[in-house]
Amino acid sequence: MADRDGVIWYDGKLVPWRDATTHVLTHTLHYGMGVFEGVRAYKAEQGTAIFRLQEHTDRLFRSAHILGMKLPFDKDTISEAQRTVVRENGLESGYLRPMAFLGSEAMGISAKNLSVHVIVAAWPWGTYLGQEALERGIRVKTSSFSRHHVNVTMCKAKANGNYMNSILAHKEAETDGYDEALLLDVDGFVAEGSGENVFIIRNGKLITPDLTSALEGITRDTLIQLAAEIGLPLVEKRITRDEVYSADEAFFTGTAAEVTPIRELDNRAIGEGTRGPITTRLQAMYFDCVHGRAAAHTGWLTPVK
Ligand code: PMP
């Protein structure tokens, strides 16, 4: 990643990719106190555009607020930086990574009087779990790692340190031959994937865990709006893993994962063990939105030029 051409927005300046470095005593590297976003730009009918840019920028600032970090830039500047890096790197589509982190002035838990830095990078990134995953669905394993307790880390913050939990879970699932992990909350109810929210469809209803210990996903919100448009009733409630086993369909949502069908959980086929018909429809609607083909939702796209 570090060795490539291009530019990264770093504290207000565009820096050559290879020079966008930071000191080894950077506080966030040691303790994980930082916040970030994952955003996508798509080659839309109207030209390259960032999907739900405002919502991602808002969540970055919300995450920082939750952690008590004051970002030294305003929202407009960070949104503009995201448009700039897509444009200046000549990307038709890609993934964006805004991140805020603490500087290297001092070590220690106190984290007092440290500078706050912001970077925004963008690079080409195709499907997260592969094209086949989007078409056939993925095999998922319930993780032995619990999702965060709401009073251990802050689940509503997309915080760097939270992702150690995600990596442990994903690595375990991958090592065991699965594509992704499903994490349960500390009470044993379904929370989310390592980097995705989860939905099931049962008896014509769309069901998703409430947000107690899951990230407030922007794709989740998109899917909820799209489901309403096709008259699919939504239920937000606690879900058990055996409810997922006996669902008609299931899928993950996330900026990176987009809408990825789940064809199996813990070696039990979900529904027909393929991408289900409602998932297929919602996924197509989602791709229409991100590519600017849904007239009602072009407002979700911010052109980079
Ligand atoms: N949960 C977690 C833990 C995530 O990392 C992500 C990806 N940001 C999501 C859910 C989905 O969020 P979004 O749809 O906003 O990308």
Side-chain angles (χ1 to χ4, degrees):
M1 281 297 284
D3 186 27
R4 53 170 80 182
D5 295 331
V7 286
I8 291 179
W9 189 95
Y10 195 159
D11 285 341
K13 294 194 187 77
L14 284 178
V15 176
W17 197 282
R18 294 178 183 84
D19 299 341
T21 55
T22 188
H23 199 271
V24 290
L25 293 178
T26 297
H27 197 276
T28 303
L29 183 63
H30 294 251
Y31 303 117
M33 189 79 168
V35 295
F36 69 99
E37 268 305 314
V39 190
R40 269 193 196 265
Y42 287 90
K43 186 179 176 203
E45 307 266 294
Q46 306 80 347
T48 296
I50 300 175
F51 189 62
R52 303 200 70 177
L53 172 62
Q54 188 63 51
E55 290 85 345
H56 282 284
T57 301
D58 286 346
R59 188 171 63 188
L60 182 75
F61 278 75
R62 232 170 27 243
S63 297
H65 173 71
I66 290 170
L67 265 52
M69 278 173 87
K70 173 129 183 48
L71 303 193
F73 299 97
D74 61 19
K75 286 186 183 178
D76 285 349
T77 305
I78 299 301
S79 287
E80 204 43 46
Q82 292 173 77
R83 293 180 65 226
T84 303
V85 290
V86 174
R87 210 173 44 235
E88 295 300 316
N89 286 294
L91 296 172
E92 278 194 324
S93 65
Y95 186 81
L96 287 79
R97 171 51 52 82
M99 183 183 65
F101 60 97
L102 301 176
S104 53
E105 294 82 4
M107 210 32 81
I109 303 296
S110 144
K112 228 168 41 191
N113 304 323
L114 296 177
S115 54
V116 178
H117 303 271
V118 183
I119 60 110
V120 186
W123 60 87
W125 202 358
T127 56
Y128 183 58
L129 296 157
Q131 187 60 31
E132 196 189 316
L134 293 176
E135 288 163 17
R136 287 191 61 213
I138 57 168
R139 297 179 59 245
V140 176
K141 183 180 186 327
T142 302
S143 186
S144 72
F145 297 96
S146 298
R147 197 61 181 150
H148 307 291
H149 180 276
V150 290
N151 206 29
V152 172
T153 59
M154 301 292 103
C155 304
K156 300 284 174 295
K158 194 166 165 64
N160 296 36
N162 287 0
Y163 282 81
M164 196 179 137
N165 174 252
S166 290
I167 293 170
L168 287 169
H170 185 79
K171 194 179 168 132
E172 176 189 59
E174 211 173 31
T175 304
D176 290 350
Y178 298 84
D179 302 304
E180 181 54 294
L182 181 68
L183 290 97
L184 308 181
D185 66 21
V186 287
D187 295 320
F189 294 89
V190 172
E192 60 181 340
S194 70
E196 307 90 0
N197 292 108
V198 64
F199 288 85
I200 62 172
I201 296 163
R202 210 171 166 203
N203 300 328
K205 287 199 184 93
L206 187 63
I207 310 169
T208 193
D210 66 66
L211 291 171
T212 308
S213 54
L215 188 73
E216 280 186 282
I218 291 162
T219 321
R220 177 186 186 274
D221 177 72
T222 303
L223 266 286
I224 287 174
Q225 294 194 46
L226 296 178
E229 285 171 19
I230 57 168
L232 195 62
L234 173 78
V235 184
E236 278 183 87
K237 68 172 197 80
R238 283 181 138 184
I239 296 177
T240 58
R241 63 194 277 186
D242 52 5
E243 265 178 288
V244 184
Y245 294 158
S246 42
D248 302 321
E249 301 180 33
F251 59 87
F252 277 135
T253 63
T255 299
E258 299 169 307
V259 179
T260 299
I262 301 172
R263 71 169 197 269
E264 228 182 85
L265 176 63
D266 302 336
N267 307 309
R268 288 140 174 102
I270 296 175
E272 301 296 316
T274 56
R275 176 174 65 181
I278 299 174
T279 305
T280 304
R281 186 163 176 205
L282 290 170
Q283 189 190 50
M285 290 173 80
Y286 182 75
F287 284 125
D288 281 346
C289 289
V290 299
H291 291 111
R293 298 188 294 258
H297 295 301
T298 49
W300 279 338
L301 293 167
T302 303
V304 301
K305 284 192 179 139

